[in-house]
Amino acid sequence: MPPVTAPNVTITKTDRGMTHAPPGNPVTIPNGGTITICNRRRRRNTRVRVTMDDEETFSQLLRPGDCVTLTVGSPQVPDGQYSVVDPPSILKIIGIRGSTFTFKK
């Protein structure tokens, strides 16, 4: 997928893995943009964990059907460069500095 810049991104955790919209890799979201994370897994919770420089800035358990919206540049998602990692029961958003989201499966 080619790189894209967008005002927001939606990441969806499903029983088959992770999807995101808009498609692209990496996706650059400017400060003030939003990241919406939704758990569309059947009967399984998903933990969302955001870290910046190895320190946790946000963590929440999403039940099936739940979503959470975070703002880039906020204390939960500080301005940075992030890798989105999709192990089975957790969605990790790992940051270092910048506002680019790279998706890894």
Side-chain angles (χ1 to χ4, degrees), residues 36-72:
T36 300
I37 302 136
C38 295
N39 179 16
R40 300 290 182 236
R41 298 170 74 200
R42 287 180 275 179
R43 300 183 300 261
R44 299 187 91 177
N45 294 334
T46 295
R47 175 152 308 274
V48 176
R49 182 171 291 141
V50 181
T51 61
M52 172 56 72
D53 295 330
D54 294 325
E55 291 193 30
E56 185 173 278
T57 58
F58 178 82
S59 181
Q60 183 174 330
L61 188 66
L62 297 180
R63 294 179 301 192
D66 284 354
C67 296
V68 63
T69 299
L70 305 171
T71 302
V72 175

Side-chain angles (χ1 to χ4, degrees), residues 4 9 11-12 17-18 27 29 35 39 44 46 50 59 71 74 79-80 83 90 95 97 102:
V4 299
V9 66
I11 303 168
T12 305
M18 170 184 66
V27 176
I29 309 296
I35 306 153
N39 179 16
R44 299 187 91 177
T46 295
V50 181
S59 181
T71 302
S74 69
D79 185 33
S83 295
I90 189 169
R97 291 285 172 214
T102 302

